[in-house]
Amino acid sequence: MASSFFGLYVQRDGLQLAQKGLDITGHNITNIKTTGYSRQRLDVVSVANTAGSLGYNTQVSLAGKGADAVGVTQLRDKLLDAKVRRYSSELCDTGAKTNVLADIEDILDDVENQDSGLAAIFGNLKSAFQSFSSTGADRQDLSNVAMNAADSVINVLKNFDARLNDVELSTREDILVTNDRVNAILKQMASLNKQISDAYVQMDNVYATRDGYQAEIEYGPLELKDSFNNLCDELSQYMNIDVKQNQDGTYDVYFGDVALVQKDAYAKTDIIFSGEQTERNDFAELHISTTNTDKQWTKCEREITPEIIANPDLNDKIDKLNSYIYKGNVKQACELEKEIIADAKAAGVDYDPIFTNNMTAAQLKAAPSYAITVDEETDKLTGGSVSGLFDMYNGKGCYAEGAENGYNGIKYYQETIRSFANRFAKAFNGLYDDYNNSADAVKQQNAAADKAEAKLRDDTKAQYMADNGITDETALTADDLTKIDDIVNQTLADVRKDAIESTKFKLFEFEGGALDDGNVADLKIADTWNENTLRCVHPFVDDNGKLDYNYDELDNAYINKILSAFDAKYKFGNEPDQFTFEGFIQYYGNQVGGDLEYELGSFDSTNIMLNSVSDARDEVMGVSMDEEGVNMMNYQKWYNAISRMISALDECLDKLINGTGKVGL
C-alpha cells in the first residue's frame, strides 16, 4: 500500500517537470535568433507501475506514480539536413561559376563597345584598308593609319587576355583560401567530436554494450551537436559531403567514399596546381590524406636527428616537410619526401618515410597506424564552391583533351582569344604567300640565311678560340675545325630558318618566333611591316631592301586581298563552326552571356529548392514564437493545476491527521 504522502511526492515531481518545461521553453525563446539553433523539447513519460522484483504489474495500490523526464532532445530531421546540404552544395557550385562568369562578362562587354570594343576597333581596321581603294590620298599616310589601326586591335586583344589572366589569378587565390577554411573546419569537427563523446559519458547518457558502450544519441550535449551541424552546413557549401552518426554520439563526415572526419581524427586537404600557369597548362587538383588525430599528426612530423643536423640541405628539407604537414600541404609534403629519401640515401643517412605513397613493401608492413596516404580526389567533386571554382579554373571547353575538364571555364575563354589572335595573324600574313614564294623573295631569304650562317660560324669560332686559349686563327687544327663545325651544326638549321622567316614579309608576328600557336601577349606588328608601312600595299623590295614600286599608282591587288579576308570565313581553334572575324567577335561575346544565363537559371532554380527545404527544416528545428507561447501557457496551466492538487491533498491529509477520532468534526 502506498504511503499517505505518496500523492504529494508525485505532485512535487510534477511541479519540477512543469518548471523544467518552462525553463526549456524560455531557453528556446531566448535562442530564437541564434544561428543553427535546434528547438529543444522536454521528453516526459508516465512512470511505470512497478514494485521490487515484480516488474510491470497492475496493482492498484502502486498506480498513479505520475510522470518523469527521460531527457531533453532537439528537433531535427536527418533527411531534411541531407537535402539542405545537397542543395546548398549545388547552389554554391553554380554560385561560384556565376561569380567568375560575371567577371568574364564584364571584360567581354567591351567586345561590343561602340567606341573602344574589339568590334569597333576591328571595324576601324577594315575602314583603314578600304581607304586605299576609295581615295587617291597620300598612300604613306594611309598605310600609317592602317598599321595604327592594326596595332589598336592587337592592344585590345592583349587587354582582354591580361584581364582574363587577372580573373584566373583571383580564382586561384579563391581556391586556396577556400581550402584553408575547409581544413580549419575539419579540425574543428574532430575537436567537437571529442567533446561530444566525453560529454555523453559525463552526462551519463550511455549504456553498456558488448563492444563497449552506446550513447543515447537523441539526448546528450545538444549545443555541441548544434555546433557540429553548423559546421556540416558550412562544409557542404564548399564540397559535397555525407554525414553519419556513430553509436557513441560522434559523427563521421565523408566526401564520396573518402573519410574527412572519423570521430576525433580528421583528414587534410591540399590543392596542387600542376604545370606552368604562364603556359596555361596548370590545372587545380584536390588531394586528400587519411585521417589522424591531433596527437597522430604531431607524430607524423619527422624527427631531426644529429645525422640530419649535420647535413644542412637535408635538415632544411625536413624542416620544410614538417611545416607542410603542420599546415596541411600533404601532397607537397609527399612530393618533397621523395627528394628527402633520395638525398638521405645518397648521404648515407637513415630516414623513415611517413607517407605510404613513398614506402617500400617492407616499410608498409612496419608502418605505424598513423602513416599518411595521400590520393588525388578531384573527380569526386560534384558540388560546392570548390567544384565550381575548379570547373572555372580547369575548364577548357572544346579545347579539352582526354580527361581534361570540358566546362567553358577561364581557360576556354583564354584559348578562344588566343585562337582569334593566331587566326588573325595567319589569315592576313597568308595573303603574301605568293610574294614570299616568288623567286626574287626566295633569293633574298636565302641570302639572309647565308649571312646569318656566316655570322654563326664566325661567332662560334671566336668563342671556341677564347675558350681554348687560341689567339691565332692559323693555329686551329683540323680537329678544332671539326669541333667548330659540330657546334655550328647543332643550331644551324634553326638559325637559317629564323633568318628566312624574318625576311619574309608579314603584317603580324609573335615575340619568340612562334608561327601558328603564339600567345596573345606576344602578338605584335611584324618588323617587316613596321620598317616600311607601305609594303602592305605592295611587298616587293630590291636586294638592298628598298622599294621597287611606284606607290602613287592605285594598284590595289593586295588591298583587295586584305579586304576579302575580312569577309572570308575561317576555322577558329576547336570551335565547331566557321566564322568571319566580325562574326566570331559577336559569337565570343554571346558565348559567355549564354553560359552566364544558364548558370543564373540553375542558381535561381536551385535556390528555390534550397529555400523550400530550408523552410521545411526550419519548421522542424526552428523556434516558433506561437508554438512556444502555447507551450508556455500549457506548462503554466500544468503548474497551476498541480499547485491546486497539492492544496487539495494537503487539506485531505490535514483532515486525516488532525480530524480523525474527533466526534462532530
Side-chain angles (χ1 to χ4, degrees):
M1 190 70 182
S3 74
S4 300
F5 294 93
F6 177 78
L8 285 175
Y9 290 133
V10 170
Q11 300 312 313
R12 179 202 62 186
D13 293 342
L15 276 176
Q16 291 174 343
L17 289 177
Q19 179 62 58
K20 184 51 62 180
L22 285 170
D23 291 343
I24 298 302
T25 300
H27 184 63
N28 286 336
I29 293 173
T30 304
N31 285 282
I32 193 169
K33 295 296 184 181
T34 302
T35 302
Y37 175 77
S38 302
R39 181 158 53 108
Q40 297 181 7
R41 181 186 65 195
L42 181 67
D43 282 350
V44 179
V45 297
S46 175
V47 176
N49 189 4
T50 62
S53 62
L54 296 178
Y56 288 92
N57 63 79
T58 58
Q59 292 184 25
V60 175
S61 63
L62 297 176
K65 289 189 173 181
D68 191 15
V70 294
V72 179
T73 187
Q74 56 185 191
L75 302 182
R76 293 192 77 100
D77 187 312
K78 292 181 180 179
L79 179 60
L80 289 175
D81 280 340
K83 284 185 176 181
V84 166
R85 288 161 190 162
R86 175 162 61 86
Y87 286 122
S88 177
S89 183
E90 293 176 6
L91 185 72
C92 291
D93 180 345
T94 192
K97 293 174 183 174
T98 299
N99 290 336
V100 178
L101 285 170
D103 290 339
I104 295 175
E105 187 184 47
D106 287 343
I107 297 171
L108 298 185
D109 276 346
D110 294 338
V111 169
E112 299 177 355
N113 187 293
Q114 295 182 354
D115 299 321
S116 59
L118 180 57
I121 299 300
F122 204 81
N124 293 342
L125 176 61
K126 184 177 182 180
S127 298
F129 281 112
Q130 286 174 332
S131 299
F132 280 96
S133 58
S134 61
T135 180
D138 187 286
R139 304 214 121 193
Q140 181 68 59
D141 291 340
L142 292 176
S143 61
N144 288 338
V145 170
M147 189 179 73
N148 289 334
D151 195 45
S152 295
V153 171
I154 292 173
N155 289 333
V156 170
L157 290 174
K158 287 183 175 181
N159 177 263
F160 289 159
D161 185 63
R163 291 169 68 184
L164 282 172
N165 189 53
D166 290 340
V167 173
E168 184 181 39
L169 289 172
S170 176
T171 304
R172 185 186 181 112
E173 183 62 27
D174 288 343
I175 291 173
L176 294 174
V177 170
T178 300
N179 184 63
D180 289 342
R181 180 55 188 157
V182 167
N183 275 318
I185 290 174
L186 297 182
K187 187 171 183 178
Q188 284 179 271
M189 284 179 162
S191 175
L192 278 173
N193 265 341
K194 180 68 168 62
Q195 296 176 56
I196 289 171
S197 177
D198 292 343
Y200 268 109
V201 176
Q202 293 166 2
M203 297 170 70
D204 199 25
N205 285 129
V206 295
Y207 54 89
T209 65
R210 179 177 299 178
D211 299 325
Y213 71 89
Q214 182 168 333
E216 297 175 319
I217 57 177
E218 64 270 29
Y219 304 118
L222 305 183
E223 280 69 28
L224 289 178
K225 293 201 288 185
D226 276 343
S227 296
F228 195 96
N229 279 303
N230 287 343
L231 289 177
C232 289
D233 289 347
E234 183 183 355
L235 185 61
S236 69
Q237 297 174 16
Y238 302 126
M239 56 204 308
N240 45 293
I241 60 170
D242 294 309
V243 182
K244 300 176 182 178
Q245 191 168 18
N246 301 310
Q247 287 187 345
D248 62 356
T250 60
Y251 298 86
D252 289 348
V253 182
Y254 289 88
F255 169 64
D257 58 353
V258 178
L260 296 178
V261 177
Q262 290 179 305
K263 298 187 178 181
D264 61 340
Y266 59 97
K268 294 188 177 184
T269 64
D270 195 7
I271 303 294
I272 297 296
F273 295 92
S274 61
E276 294 295 330
Q277 184 181 3
T278 53
E279 297 176 7
R280 288 181 179 156
N281 63 353
D282 64 316
F283 298 97
E285 297 175 355
L286 174 64
H287 296 263
I288 303 179
S289 74
T290 44
T291 60
N292 276 327
T293 65
D294 275 332
K295 289 183 179 179
Q296 289 172 331
W297 279 117
T298 301
K299 290 180 180 179
C300 288
E301 296 177 17
R302 301 293 78 198
E303 182 182 359
I304 307 295
T305 64
E307 286 181 304
I308 293 173
I309 294 175
N311 189 315
D313 184 56
L314 196 58
N315 184 68
D316 290 344
K317 286 186 176 180
I318 293 180
D319 272 341
K320 192 173 184 180
L321 172 77
N322 289 338
S323 175
Y324 279 159
I325 293 174
Y326 176 77
K327 293 178 180 177
N329 305 128
V330 284
K331 178 59 178 177
Q332 296 178 64
C334 183
E335 294 301 312
L336 178 59
E337 190 178 62
K338 292 179 182 178
E339 297 180 24
I340 292 173
I341 291 171
D343 292 349
K345 183 177 181 181
V349 176
D350 290 332
Y351 175 80
D352 294 325
I354 194 59
F355 287 89
T356 61
N357 310 62
N358 302 327
M359 292 181 183
T360 63
Q363 288 172 330
L364 281 171
K365 290 182 179 180
S369 60
Y370 52 84
I372 312 168
T373 301
V374 182
D375 291 311
E376 184 186 351
E377 306 293 357
T378 310
D379 59 338
K380 291 185 172 63
L381 282 170
T382 59
S385 60
V386 175
S387 176
L389 291 171
F390 267 48
D391 281 344
M392 290 308 307
Y393 193 87
N394 294 338
K396 294 181 69 175
C398 60
Y399 296 92
E401 299 178 357
E404 291 179 341
N405 192 313
Y407 186 82
N408 285 354
I410 297 170
K411 287 180 173 56
Y412 164 74
Y413 290 102
Q414 289 174 325
E415 287 300 323
T416 306
I417 283 285
R418 185 176 181 180
S419 68
F420 181 91
N422 279 275
R423 175 55 64 189
F424 175 65
K426 188 174 182 179
F428 285 96
N429 288 343
L431 302 176
Y432 298 90
D433 284 347
D434 57 344
Y435 163 71
N436 288 323
N437 293 328
S438 66
D440 289 341
V442 170
K443 178 182 176 183
Q444 293 171 2
Q445 294 161 19
N446 288 331
D450 292 341
K451 183 177 180 181
E453 178 179 348
K455 184 176 185 306
L456 174 64
R457 291 187 180 280
D458 289 343
D459 291 345
T460 304
K461 183 188 295 183
Q463 187 63 48
Y464 180 87
M465 291 173 64
D467 292 342
N468 292 275
I470 301 173
T471 57
D472 188 353
E473 188 173 331
T474 59
L476 291 170
T477 66
D479 184 53
D480 290 330
L481 294 175
T482 299
K483 290 180 179 178
I484 292 172
D485 284 340
D486 290 341
I487 297 172
V488 168
N489 290 333
Q490 291 176 9
T491 57
L492 179 59
D494 290 336
V495 169
R496 291 188 64 87
K497 180 181 177 181
D498 291 344
I500 289 172
E501 289 299 327
S502 63
T503 306
K504 291 180 179 180
F505 179 73
K506 300 183 288 292
L507 295 180
F508 309 103
E509 64 187 6
F510 293 92
E511 294 283 359
L515 300 177
D516 298 322
D517 192 25
N519 291 320
V520 179
D522 297 329
L523 182 63
K524 67 172 188 174
I525 300 295
D527 291 339
T528 50
W529 189 20
N530 195 43
E531 290 167 358
N532 193 327
T533 58
L534 280 169
R535 288 190 72 184
C536 67
V537 179
H538 202 70
F540 292 93
V541 293
D542 60 22
D543 292 343
N544 296 318
K546 294 183 178 180
L547 303 177
D548 63 352
Y549 175 75
N550 183 358
Y551 284 86
D552 291 329
E553 297 180 9
L554 293 177
D555 182 354
N556 290 322
Y558 280 96
I559 294 300
N560 290 335
K561 284 185 178 183
I562 291 173
L563 293 176
S564 66
F566 282 96
D567 298 322
K569 289 188 174 182
Y570 303 94
K571 175 82 168 147
F572 290 84
N574 293 345
E575 297 295 342
D577 300 320
Q578 291 187 336
F579 304 88
T580 63
F581 285 107
E582 290 173 319
F584 188 72
I585 292 171
Q586 184 177 9
Y587 166 80
Y588 188 44
N590 292 338
Q591 185 67 43
V592 67
D595 290 341
L596 179 57
E597 184 177 0
Y598 172 81
E599 292 299 340
L600 285 172
S602 297
F603 184 90
D604 290 340
S605 60
T606 305
N607 195 36
I608 291 172
M609 296 301 298
L610 176 59
N611 288 335
S612 176
V613 295
S614 294
D615 290 343
R617 185 172 76 161
D618 286 343
E619 289 179 5
V620 175
M621 64 173 281
V623 178
S624 167
M625 282 300 296
D626 292 338
E627 291 184 24
E628 297 305 324
V630 171
N631 288 339
M632 180 175 62
M633 287 188 293
N634 286 336
Y635 284 125
Q636 185 180 17
K637 290 177 181 179
W638 185 15
Y639 197 95
N640 292 337
I642 293 173
S643 298
R644 294 191 63 181
M645 177 62 76
I646 291 175
S647 297
L649 288 172
D650 182 59
E651 290 177 8
C652 291
L653 286 174
D654 181 67
K655 185 67 174 177
L656 176 66
I657 295 172
N658 298 318
T660 301
K662 293 184 179 181
V663 179
L665 294 180

